[in-house]
Amino acid sequence: MAYDRPHTTNHDMKKTEVFPSFSFLCWLVAGCLCASCSLRQSPPPSDDDSEQFTTEVLLRTTPVKNQGSGNLCWIYAMLATIETEHIMEGDSIDLSPAFATRALLTEETRKRYVDAHYTIRERGMATMTLRLLELYGAMPFTSYRMAEDYQFQRVSKLLTRLADQCRSHLKGISSLDASVRDVLDDNIGSQPNWVFMFGCQYTPKEFARSVCSKGEYAALTSFSHHPFGEPFVLEVPDNRYHDAFLNVPIDSLMKYVEYSLRSGHPVCWEGDITEPCYDASKGTARLEDGHRQVTQQTRQEDFDHHITTDDHCMEMIGIAHDKQGRKYFICKNSHGKNNPYHGWMYLEEDYVKAKTIAVILPAITLPPMQVLAPPPADAFDQLFSLSDAD
């Protein structure tokens, strides 16, 4: 379950550079101007018996999609994040998860061809989506949609058998790719060769470069078993391409997330949803009453003991609060609209602070300063006070 401006990324290893040291004051003023834009919109009507929230910030986004029974949340969430980033800038795009899925399965089948012990998998991290965009391109949602009856388990068995047969007959990867295309055409749908938009013709790679440039997104995490201010390869099973994430203190990460949203930029969130307090049917997630205070140390303990795991990926599109004044982050899920908020989830602030594995956000939203020289302690509070006043 990813996304050069002040921050650059090498997509083979995601080696993150430290931000250049510009004036924090300029960044603060720019943030205030962005925050003054109209970000408050009407959320979809909730069910009458559901918990009610007051929306503070809500970014525009494409309709909620349904990933079905697959484990492709990392593709859906990252594409949704890219979509919102463009929509908030005045563009109208809706990207195809089917195209990225097809590229992934083609890669996976090649790996099975060269290694008989390799298991074809759908799981991944949002950073992998960015890599797939860079290598293979992208396509609009209306041009290439997943077949409604797509079943990964069945397709995986077909591709595994195909790879084994091609390997045993020494057919070669070119022959394998041709056979993979046939299987995916039958089970996902026939893929167009071109993208046609606004009277122009693009290859999928050209289209992808127009919607997501290399280094446009930054990947952050927060764990104390590595130094802060430096990138490291995040040790979770789904980090299959060994992507590196910039390590920052959790309080800084939370401030970056909030600043990004209040500035009109979405955030791709990866985290743990296995806790009982995450209730998809109710559309909410909050820590249980009496839960210990969330600190850097408690986060590390839960990560070390496999209590906090990398389970799911969603796009963060807003901020709200409940009747008690508790802050929530509004997330666009990818499991259809079958919950009280028609596919949106409300994650309470402490839940996000405790259960976040990583976030991917537009690099332009990060402070133009040395990571190890943070702004004054009250700088973010001052910024958000100004934003709220607007």
Side-chain angles (χ1 to χ4, degrees):
M1 323 162 187
Y3 297 147
D4 269 54
R5 280 182 245 194
H7 167 291
T8 59
T9 306
N10 178 313
H11 283 272
D12 288 331
M13 286 298 293
K14 303 293 186 302
K15 294 298 183 185
T16 309
E17 294 181 359
V18 178
F19 312 119
S21 103
F22 297 107
S23 167
F24 173 69
L25 179 60
C26 293
W27 179 72
L28 188 65
V29 171
C32 294
L33 293 174
C34 289
S36 67
C37 298
S38 177
L39 303 180
R40 293 176 174 81
Q41 303 179 64
S42 299
S46 56
D47 295 348
D48 293 338
D49 58 348
S50 63
E51 187 172 356
Q52 300 301 306
F53 296 94
T54 300
T55 302
E56 299 178 18
V57 172
L58 186 59
L59 310 186
R60 294 185 290 275
T61 188
T62 56
V64 171
K65 298 181 177 67
N66 192 340
Q67 69 184 66
S69 59
N71 294 308
L72 297 167
C73 58
W74 52 280
I75 290 178
Y76 281 80
M78 191 65 243
L79 293 182
T81 302
I82 295 170
E83 291 165 357
T84 293
E85 180 70 2
H86 280 266
I87 291 170
M88 293 299 294
E89 293 175 352
D91 285 340
S92 178
I93 66 167
D94 197 353
L95 299 172
S96 169
F99 186 89
T101 301
R102 186 182 182 111
L104 171 73
L105 292 174
T106 301
E107 269 197 1
E108 290 288 288
T109 309
R110 290 173 183 164
K111 292 177 181 178
R112 174 71 185 196
Y113 176 85
V114 299
D115 180 1
H117 301 290
Y118 185 82
T119 300
I120 294 175
R121 293 172 288 172
E122 270 188 325
R123 296 186 64 89
M125 300 190 76
T127 46
M128 286 176 58
T129 304
L130 295 180
R131 181 180 181 278
L132 293 172
L133 289 176
E134 182 182 349
L135 290 177
Y136 303 103
M139 195 157 280
F141 180 71
T142 53
S143 299
Y144 191 49
R145 301 190 186 189
M146 198 93 73
E148 292 185 0
D149 58 351
Y150 167 76
Q151 293 291 329
F152 169 72
Q153 294 299 331
R154 190 171 77 87
V155 174
S156 173
K157 290 179 180 178
L158 290 172
L159 294 176
T160 298
R161 185 163 60 247
L162 176 62
D164 293 346
Q165 290 173 349
C166 287
R167 183 179 57 256
S168 64
H169 292 89
L170 303 177
K171 288 188 174 182
I173 291 180
S174 295
S175 177
L176 171 72
D177 285 349
S179 298
V180 168
R181 281 196 296 271
D182 291 339
V183 171
L184 297 181
D185 284 351
D186 291 341
N187 289 275
I188 295 181
S190 181
Q191 175 186 300
N193 293 322
W194 301 93
V195 175
F196 296 93
M197 292 191 72
F198 307 114
C200 297
Q201 176 178 302
Y202 304 89
T203 66
K205 283 188 176 182
E206 289 171 338
F207 178 64
R209 286 193 293 270
S210 75
V211 299
C212 182
S213 60
K214 186 174 182 179
E216 186 173 351
Y217 291 86
L220 307 183
T221 191
S222 180
F223 292 106
S224 57
H225 64 289
H226 288 279
F228 292 126
E230 298 180 9
F232 74 93
V233 177
L234 189 55
E235 303 96 335
V236 294
D238 290 340
N239 191 9
R240 295 159 50 196
Y241 293 156
H242 307 292
D243 293 336
F245 293 70
L246 180 65
N247 197 27
V248 299
I250 186 58
D251 288 339
S252 296
L253 185 146
M254 295 295 292
K255 289 171 180 175
Y256 295 154
V257 167
E258 182 166 355
Y259 174 77
S260 182
L261 292 168
R262 291 192 184 276
S263 299
H265 298 277
V267 176
C268 189
W269 178 85
E270 298 199 33
D272 187 330
I273 63 167
T274 59
E275 305 289 340
C277 50
Y278 180 95
D279 194 331
S281 63
K282 292 183 178 180
T284 59
R286 64 172 65 87
L287 296 181
E288 298 173 347
D289 292 340
H291 189 280
R292 62 180 176 172
Q293 182 180 1
V294 180
T295 65
Q296 195 77 59
Q297 180 179 347
T298 62
R299 277 180 50 83
Q300 189 65 43
E301 290 172 354
D302 287 350
F303 183 76
D304 290 344
H305 299 154
H306 306 292
I307 296 171
T308 294
T309 52
D310 186 20
D311 306 317
H312 193 43
C313 199
M314 295 185 285
E315 179 199 14
M316 283 184 169
I317 55 172
I319 300 171
H321 61 267
D322 64 13
K323 293 180 180 179
Q324 289 73 41
R326 293 177 297 191
K327 186 185 298 179
Y328 289 75
F329 292 94
I330 307 171
C331 292
K332 174 187 172 184
N333 208 348
S334 53
H335 287 300
K337 300 181 179 182
N338 190 26
N339 81 357
Y341 307 105
H342 303 274
W344 292 3
M345 291 289 301
Y346 286 77
L347 276 55
E348 192 265 338
E349 182 179 27
D350 274 352
Y351 183 92
V352 173
K353 187 175 182 180
K355 294 300 175 181
T356 294
I357 291 290
V359 295
I360 295 86
L361 69 175
I364 197 172
T365 67
L366 292 174
M369 68 190 78
Q370 297 291 344
V371 176
L372 298 181
D378 62 347
F380 285 99
D381 296 334
Q382 292 174 3
L383 172 61
F384 295 147
S385 296
L386 289 171
S387 301
D388 292 340
D390 291 336

